[in-house]
Amino acid sequence: MPIDYPVNYEVGDIVFTCIGSTLFREIASASNCWSNHVGMIIGHDGRDYIVAESRVPLSSTTTLDRFIHRSAGQRHSIRRLKGGLTQEQKQALLQQVPSRLHKVYHTGFNYDSSRQFCSKFVFDIYQEALSIQVGSIENFDELLRKNPQAKLTFWKFWFIGSIPWSRNTVTPASLWRNRDLSVVYNSHSDMQP
Protein backbone atom coordinates (compact mmCIF):
# COMPACT_ATOMS: atom_id res chain seq x y z
CA MET A 1 0.00 0.00 0.00
CA PRO A 2 1.41 3.43 -0.94
CA ILE A 3 2.65 5.73 1.82
CA ASP A 4 0.32 8.71 2.21
CA TYR A 5 2.18 12.05 2.20
CA PRO A 6 0.48 15.42 2.85
CA VAL A 7 1.44 16.67 -0.63
CA ASN A 8 2.11 15.09 -4.03
CA TYR A 9 5.76 15.36 -4.97
CA GLU A 10 7.39 15.40 -8.39
CA VAL A 11 10.59 14.37 -10.10
CA GLY A 12 13.18 17.08 -9.44
CA ASP A 13 11.81 18.13 -6.05
CA ILE A 14 14.70 18.74 -3.64
CA VAL A 15 14.42 17.19 -0.18
CA PHE A 16 16.24 18.94 2.69
CA THR A 17 16.97 17.16 5.97
CA CYS A 18 19.19 17.44 9.05
CA ILE A 19 21.58 14.58 9.83
CA GLY A 20 22.39 14.51 13.56
CA SER A 21 26.02 13.33 13.51
CA THR A 22 28.79 15.67 14.69
CA LEU A 23 30.17 16.39 11.21
CA PHE A 24 26.78 17.25 9.79
CA ARG A 25 25.82 19.36 12.82
CA GLU A 26 29.02 21.37 12.21
CA ILE A 27 28.11 21.78 8.54
CA ALA A 28 24.75 23.22 9.58
CA SER A 29 26.39 25.47 12.17
CA ALA A 30 29.09 26.76 9.80
CA SER A 31 26.53 27.62 7.12
CA ASN A 32 23.92 29.07 9.50
CA CYS A 33 21.22 26.72 8.27
CA TRP A 34 19.13 24.01 9.90
CA SER A 35 19.61 21.71 6.88
CA ASN A 36 22.83 19.81 6.23
CA HIS A 37 21.75 17.15 3.75
CA VAL A 38 19.82 17.13 0.44
CA GLY A 39 18.57 14.66 -2.10
CA MET A 40 16.34 14.75 -5.17
CA ILE A 41 13.11 12.88 -5.90
CA ILE A 42 13.50 10.76 -9.05
CA GLY A 43 10.23 8.84 -9.14
CA HIS A 44 7.77 6.61 -7.32
CA ASP A 45 7.92 2.80 -7.04
CA GLY A 46 4.20 2.30 -6.37
CA ARG A 47 4.68 2.41 -2.61
CA ASP A 48 6.99 5.36 -1.96
CA TYR A 49 8.89 8.16 -3.65
CA ILE A 50 12.49 7.38 -4.58
CA VAL A 51 15.26 9.82 -3.63
CA ALA A 52 18.71 9.95 -5.24
CA GLU A 53 21.44 11.20 -2.93
CA SER A 54 25.15 11.35 -2.29
CA ARG A 55 25.82 9.88 1.14
CA VAL A 56 28.57 8.07 3.01
CA PRO A 57 30.04 5.86 1.60
CA LEU A 58 28.48 5.91 -1.91
CA SER A 59 25.81 7.86 -3.77
CA SER A 60 22.67 5.77 -4.10
CA THR A 61 18.88 5.77 -4.05
CA THR A 62 16.54 5.24 -1.14
CA THR A 63 12.88 5.72 -0.31
CA LEU A 64 11.62 9.10 0.86
CA ASP A 65 10.42 7.48 4.07
CA ARG A 66 13.93 6.20 4.88
CA PHE A 67 15.47 9.51 3.82
CA ILE A 68 13.21 11.44 6.21
CA HIS A 69 13.70 8.97 9.08
CA ARG A 70 17.47 9.59 9.01
CA SER A 71 16.82 13.27 9.74
CA ALA A 72 17.00 14.51 13.36
CA GLY A 73 13.43 14.80 14.60
CA GLN A 74 12.34 13.82 11.06
CA ARG A 75 12.70 17.49 10.12
CA HIS A 76 12.43 17.92 6.37
CA SER A 77 11.43 20.35 3.70
CA ILE A 78 10.66 19.79 0.06
CA ARG A 79 11.25 22.54 -2.48
CA ARG A 80 10.56 22.83 -6.18
CA LEU A 81 11.79 25.13 -8.91
CA LYS A 82 9.27 27.98 -9.21
CA GLY A 83 6.81 27.34 -12.02
CA GLY A 84 7.56 23.61 -11.90
CA LEU A 85 9.34 21.49 -14.47
CA THR A 86 8.17 20.27 -17.86
CA GLN A 87 8.23 16.56 -18.64
CA GLU A 88 11.26 17.18 -20.86
CA GLN A 89 13.09 18.90 -18.00
CA LYS A 90 12.25 16.05 -15.63
CA GLN A 91 13.59 13.55 -18.15
CA ALA A 92 16.77 15.59 -18.55
CA LEU A 93 17.30 15.51 -14.76
CA LEU A 94 16.70 11.76 -14.64
CA GLN A 95 19.26 11.16 -17.39
CA GLN A 96 21.94 12.75 -15.18
CA VAL A 97 21.37 10.43 -12.21
CA PRO A 98 22.74 6.98 -13.25
CA SER A 99 26.30 8.18 -13.98
CA ARG A 100 26.42 9.85 -10.54
CA LEU A 101 25.40 6.79 -8.53
CA HIS A 102 27.92 4.55 -6.72
CA LYS A 103 30.45 7.40 -6.43
CA VAL A 104 32.58 7.75 -3.31
CA TYR A 105 31.53 10.48 -0.88
CA HIS A 106 33.99 13.36 -0.49
CA THR A 107 34.37 14.14 3.22
CA GLY A 108 36.53 17.16 2.33
CA PHE A 109 33.65 18.75 0.37
CA ASN A 110 35.85 19.68 -2.59
CA TYR A 111 33.56 20.76 -5.41
CA ASP A 112 36.34 20.37 -7.98
CA SER A 113 36.93 16.70 -7.10
CA SER A 114 35.50 13.82 -9.14
CA ARG A 115 33.97 12.50 -5.91
CA GLN A 116 30.51 13.52 -4.68
CA PHE A 117 28.78 15.04 -1.70
CA CYS A 118 25.07 15.72 -1.30
CA SER A 119 24.76 19.35 -2.36
CA LYS A 120 27.23 18.92 -5.23
CA PHE A 121 25.20 15.91 -6.40
CA VAL A 122 21.95 17.91 -6.69
CA PHE A 123 23.66 21.13 -7.86
CA ASP A 124 25.49 19.34 -10.69
CA ILE A 125 22.40 17.45 -11.87
CA TYR A 126 20.46 20.70 -12.27
CA GLN A 127 23.45 22.50 -13.80
CA GLU A 128 24.21 19.78 -16.35
CA ALA A 129 20.62 18.92 -17.26
CA LEU A 130 18.99 22.35 -17.28
CA SER A 131 21.82 24.93 -17.00
CA ILE A 132 20.17 26.09 -13.77
CA GLN A 133 22.13 26.73 -10.60
CA VAL A 134 20.03 25.75 -7.58
CA GLY A 135 22.78 26.79 -5.16
CA SER A 136 26.09 28.62 -5.32
CA ILE A 137 29.73 27.67 -5.41
CA GLU A 138 31.88 29.43 -2.82
CA ASN A 139 35.21 28.80 -1.19
CA PHE A 140 35.72 28.01 2.48
CA ASP A 141 36.98 31.52 3.14
CA GLU A 142 33.73 33.05 1.82
CA LEU A 143 31.62 30.47 3.61
CA LEU A 144 33.24 30.80 7.03
CA ARG A 145 33.61 34.59 6.83
CA LYS A 146 29.80 34.84 6.65
CA ASN A 147 29.59 33.20 10.06
CA PRO A 148 31.97 34.57 12.71
CA GLN A 149 30.53 32.00 15.16
CA ALA A 150 31.75 29.03 13.09
CA LYS A 151 33.91 26.63 15.08
CA LEU A 152 37.22 26.96 13.28
CA THR A 153 38.82 24.57 15.78
CA PHE A 154 36.55 21.79 14.54
CA TRP A 155 37.32 22.51 10.89
CA LYS A 156 41.08 22.70 11.53
CA PHE A 157 40.84 19.32 13.21
CA TRP A 158 38.67 17.93 10.39
CA PHE A 159 41.17 19.07 7.75
CA ILE A 160 44.12 17.76 9.79
CA GLY A 161 45.49 21.11 10.91
CA SER A 162 44.78 23.52 8.07
CA ILE A 163 41.47 24.70 6.61
CA PRO A 164 41.65 24.74 2.77
CA TRP A 165 40.45 28.35 2.53
CA SER A 166 40.51 28.55 -1.27
CA ARG A 167 38.74 25.20 -1.83
CA ASN A 168 35.45 25.53 -3.70
CA THR A 169 32.37 23.90 -2.26
CA VAL A 170 28.58 24.10 -2.46
CA THR A 171 26.48 23.75 0.69
CA PRO A 172 22.94 22.54 1.41
CA ALA A 173 22.41 26.05 2.82
CA SER A 174 23.10 27.65 -0.56
CA LEU A 175 20.43 25.43 -2.12
CA TRP A 176 18.04 26.13 0.77
CA ARG A 177 18.40 29.90 0.31
CA ASN A 178 17.91 29.84 -3.46
CA ARG A 179 15.09 32.25 -4.28
CA ASP A 180 14.16 30.24 -7.39
CA LEU A 181 12.93 27.35 -5.23
CA SER A 182 9.47 27.46 -3.70
CA VAL A 183 8.30 25.52 -0.66
CA VAL A 184 6.18 22.46 -1.41
CA TYR A 185 6.16 21.17 2.17
CA ASN A 186 7.78 21.98 5.52
CA SER A 187 7.54 19.47 8.36
CA HIS A 188 8.01 22.23 10.98
CA SER A 189 6.79 25.82 11.05
CA ASP A 190 10.16 27.32 12.00
CA MET A 191 11.90 26.47 8.70
CA GLN A 192 12.61 29.84 7.14
CA PRO A 193 15.48 30.79 4.80
Side-chain angles (χ1 to χ4, degrees), residues 92-108:
L93 291 176
L94 292 176
Q95 289 171 0
Q96 291 293 319
V97 174
S99 65
R100 289 178 165 78
L101 296 178
H102 314 295
K103 301 282 186 187
V104 175
Y105 191 87
H106 196 304
T107 56

Side-chain angles (χ1 to χ4, degrees), residues 5 27 34 36 45 50 57 70 88 107 116-117 119-120 125 129 144 147 158 164 173-174 184 189:
Y5 290 101
I27 291 168
W34 71 272
N36 55 27
D45 67 3
I50 304 301
R70 290 196 328 253
E88 292 77 15
T107 56
Q116 304 264 324
F117 51 97
S119 40
K120 175 185 176 182
I125 288 173
L144 294 171
N147 182 7
W158 187 256
S174 76
V184 176
S189 60

Side-chain angles (χ1 to χ4, degrees), residues 52-98:
E53 63 173 326
S54 177
R55 62 175 293 192
V56 176
L58 300 173
S59 49
S60 60
T61 61
T62 189
T63 64
L64 180 58
D65 185 60
R66 285 191 198 114
F67 192 83
I68 290 169
H69 275 83
R70 290 196 328 253
S71 184
Q74 297 183 19
R75 291 174 68 85
H76 65 283
S77 177
I78 300 184
R79 295 191 163 203
R80 181 178 298 155
L81 202 64
K82 287 181 180 173
L85 296 170
T86 66
Q87 285 306 119
E88 292 77 15
Q89 288 174 314
K90 291 175 183 179
Q91 278 305 120
L93 291 176
L94 292 176
Q95 289 171 0
Q96 291 293 319
V97 174

Side-chain angles (χ1 to χ4, degrees), residues 28-54:
S29 174
S31 59
N32 272 327
C33 183
W34 71 272
S35 177
N36 55 27
H37 187 58
V38 295
M40 187 183 81
I41 292 178
I42 60 168
H44 198 284
D45 67 3
R47 183 177 180 279
D48 199 353
Y49 292 97
I50 304 301
V51 177
E53 63 173 326
S54 177

